[in-house]
Amino acid sequence: MEIISLDLMAERCPLALLLAKRACATLLPYQGLEIRISDSGARSDIPRFLHNNGYVTDILVDDNAQLIIMVEKG
């Protein structure tokens, strides 16, 4: 499985959410997307977007510094 990395550590919402949406829209079957987030707004908005739109997610890291999510098309 090919994994694409999207580093949004320097981005804040709503730009971080927009970039995540665009990256998810380009996902192919059997392709993974690793999203790195630090902004507090993005940490709630991006997982909610993924859940509401049927993406399969796995939280790899969730601490005070960052949230790392692995995303696949559902």
Side-chain angles (χ1 to χ4, degrees), residues 37 42-52 57 59 67 69:
I37 310 162
R43 288 175 70 117
S44 62
D45 292 347
I46 291 174
R48 183 178 26 232
F49 162 78
L50 296 170
H51 175 72
N52 290 342
T57 60
I59 305 296
L67 173 64
I69 305 171

Side-chain angles (χ1 to χ4, degrees), residues 3-51:
I3 299 176
I4 300 168
S5 183
L6 179 62
D7 186 353
L8 300 175
M9 297 292 286
E11 304 300 335
R12 296 177 52 195
C13 257
L15 181 58
L17 178 59
L18 176 66
L19 294 172
K21 285 180 179 182
R22 286 183 181 172
C24 288
T26 65
L27 280 178
L28 301 173
Y30 307 107
Q31 190 175 42
L33 173 65
E34 181 185 89
I35 303 175
R36 296 177 176 269
I37 310 162
S38 63
D39 176 62
S40 61
R43 288 175 70 117
S44 62
D45 292 347
I46 291 174
R48 183 178 26 232
F49 162 78
L50 296 170
H51 175 72

Side-chain angles (χ1 to χ4, degrees), residues 45-74:
D45 292 347
I46 291 174
R48 183 178 26 232
F49 162 78
L50 296 170
H51 175 72
N52 290 342
N53 289 279
Y55 290 96
V56 177
T57 60
D58 186 25
I59 305 296
L60 304 178
V61 176
D62 187 2
D63 59 27
N64 291 336
Q66 65 182 344
L67 173 64
I68 303 175
I69 305 171
M70 181 61 67
V71 181
E72 294 177 8
K73 274 193 173 178

